[in-house]
């Protein structure tokens, strides 16, 4: 049986090929900016929800429910921790950069990148726990995270949360699991499984396309490298140290640590461009941390 490190290395090599394909296809103009947006919408609104529903197709028992509840509590605490870190660790950063740094610290790319990676390491249980852990991040993303760039109100947050396809998929998955996962019609089950199988490839193609759109990367920017250290090394090590003090299941701990080690979310660059933040700097954060995560994530698995 492969160790988490061996599984992660093999998975990262596979993901790298998909990312490279997305990068090359974008540079060849096969994937246009408009096409990238369409692929992102397809991924968020259709493919990921199918993947999430499939991840809930486990035998319901007290252990699964306990793990989900524990993961939700830990993920909520983690978001508070990220918010505190983001306020303290970037002194002296210019205002337009500070919004990018703080948002990228609070909201990682755990949705696009985390689901396929953690699912590859921990299987369906890993995907299930990641889906649950992403609920607090999505709440923060549309509230405290969005407020870093612009004003947002409570009604808007609630509406976006309750209507987000991935959140709806979590509700559907939980309902089916609590009902004992009744057998779905064969055509529906096969359709869900087929779409779910596209998650990894499609996610990485989108990420590769996003990276191809990043321009004018200043590899001498110390603030960028400091952020990369905080996002990819400091935060996951702190999370690992804190969770190691608690008597919790190893899978829950491993999933949470890997979620905390994900690179900057692509929405960092999208929001910076839309709300007059430092969009080139935000693109650099996404580009550099995504590439570095191909190395840091397997190394982190050695500690799990």
């Amino acid at each position: 049986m492969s160790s988490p490190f061996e599984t992660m290395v093999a998975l990262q090599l596979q993901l790298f090929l998909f990312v490279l394909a997305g990068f090359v296809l974008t540079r060849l103009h096969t994937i246009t900016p408009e096409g990238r947006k369409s692929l992102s919408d397809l991924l968020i609104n259709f493919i990921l929800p199918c993947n999430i529903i499939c991840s809930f197709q486990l035998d319901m028992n007290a252990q699964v429910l306990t793990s989900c509840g524990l993961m939700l509590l830990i993920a909520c605490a983690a978001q508070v921790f990220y918010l505190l870190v983001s306020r303290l660790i970037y002194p002296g950063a210019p205002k337009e950069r500070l919004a990018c740094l703080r948002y990228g610290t609070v909201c990682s790319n755990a949705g696009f990148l985390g689901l396929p990676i953690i699912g590859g390491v921990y299987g369906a249980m890993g995907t299930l726990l990641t889906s649950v852990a992403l609920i607090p991040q999505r709440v923060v993303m549309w509230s405290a995270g969005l407020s870093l760039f612009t004003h947002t109100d409570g009604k808007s947050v609630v509406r976006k949360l309750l209507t987000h396809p991935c959140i709806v998929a979590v509700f559907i998955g939980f309902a089916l699991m609590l009902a004992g996962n009744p057998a779905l019609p064969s055509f529906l089950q096969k359709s869900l499984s087929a779409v779910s199988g596209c998650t990894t490839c499609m996610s990485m193609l989108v990420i590769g396309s996003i990276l191809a759109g990043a321009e004018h990367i200043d590899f001498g920017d110390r603030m960028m490298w400091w952020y990369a250290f905080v996002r990819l090394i400091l935060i996951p090590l702190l999370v690992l140290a804190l969770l190691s003090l608690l008597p919790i299941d190893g899978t829950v701990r491993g999933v949470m640590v890997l979620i905390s080690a994900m690179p900057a979310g692509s929405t960092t660059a999208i929001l910076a461009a839309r709300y007059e933040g430092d969009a080139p700097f935000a693109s650099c954060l996404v580009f550099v941390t995504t590439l570095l995560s191909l190395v840091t994530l397997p190394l982190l698995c050695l500690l799990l």
Side-chain angles (χ1 to χ4, degrees):
M1 183 176 179
S2 299
S3 67
F5 174 73
E6 293 171 332
T7 301
M8 180 66 80
V9 170
L11 180 61
Q12 290 291 67
L13 291 174
Q14 177 187 354
L15 297 182
F16 175 76
L17 292 178
F18 290 143
V19 170
L20 181 62
F23 186 94
V24 172
L25 288 171
T26 300
R27 287 301 174 93
L28 293 176
H29 305 294
T30 302
I31 299 177
T32 63
E34 295 77 15
R36 178 169 66 240
K37 183 181 184 305
S38 296
L39 289 176
S40 298
D41 291 342
L42 178 65
L43 183 66
I44 293 174
N45 296 325
F46 183 54
I47 296 176
L48 283 177
C50 289
N51 178 250
I52 289 170
I53 292 173
C54 287
S55 74
F56 278 85
Q57 294 178 335
L58 300 171
D59 292 333
M60 187 192 70
N61 54 55
Q63 179 61 40
V64 171
L65 290 178
T66 300
S67 295
C68 288
L70 180 61
M71 176 57 75
L72 186 59
L73 289 174
I74 293 174
C76 288
Q79 288 301 137
V80 174
F81 174 66
Y82 301 155
L83 285 167
L84 292 174
V85 169
S86 71
R87 286 180 173 274
L88 300 174
I89 209 160
Y90 304 115
K95 181 180 179 181
E96 62 276 9
R97 283 193 166 195
L98 185 59
C100 301
L101 292 165
R102 290 181 59 189
Y103 182 90
T105 302
V106 173
C107 302
S108 71
N109 206 6
F112 275 2
L113 197 60
L115 280 169
I117 285 181
I118 297 172
V121 176
Y122 289 104
M125 189 63 182
T127 303
L128 169 62
L129 293 175
T130 304
S131 302
V132 172
L134 284 173
I135 294 175
Q137 174 171 300
R138 289 190 169 108
V139 173
V140 172
M141 181 185 298
W142 293 319
S143 54
L146 189 57
S147 70
L148 293 171
F149 292 97
T150 186
H151 173 72
T152 186
D153 60 90
K155 290 183 179 180
S156 175
V157 171
V158 173
R159 183 177 66 253
K160 288 182 179 179
L161 178 64
L162 294 180
T163 60
H164 192 285
C166 291
I167 299 297
V168 173
V170 170
F171 293 152
I172 293 173
F174 258 125
L176 291 173
M177 190 171 71
L178 291 173
N181 276 319
L184 299 176
S186 178
F187 76 92
L188 180 57
Q189 182 62 57
K190 288 182 178 179
S191 297
L192 284 171
S193 299
V195 175
S196 176
C198 300
T199 302
T200 300
C201 180
M202 188 64 72
S203 297
M204 297 308 107
L205 286 175
V206 170
I207 289 174
S209 181
I210 291 171
L211 296 183
E215 299 179 354
H216 310 299
I217 298 175
D218 180 8
F219 289 102
D221 191 328
R222 293 184 179 181
M223 186 61 71
M224 179 185 70
W225 290 110
W226 172 241
Y227 170 80
F229 171 76
V230 171
R231 177 72 267 175
L232 301 177
I233 299 176
L234 181 61
I235 286 179
L237 289 181
L238 288 174
V239 170
L240 176 59
L242 291 171
L243 294 183
S244 296
L245 300 176
L246 303 176
I248 61 176
D249 178 73
T251 300
V252 173
R253 179 174 60 249
V255 168
M256 191 66 242
V257 171
L258 290 180
I259 289 174
S260 72
M262 291 296 147
S266 56
T267 48
T268 309
I270 294 171
L271 291 175
R274 182 174 180 182
Y275 295 111
E276 299 182 355
D278 191 336
F281 177 69
S283 297
C284 291
L285 299 183
V286 175
F287 183 92
V288 171
T289 56
T290 300
L291 287 185
L292 289 178
S293 69
L294 297 175
V295 177
T296 58
L297 285 171
L299 293 177
L300 186 62
C301 278
L302 292 174
L303 304 177
L304 298 179

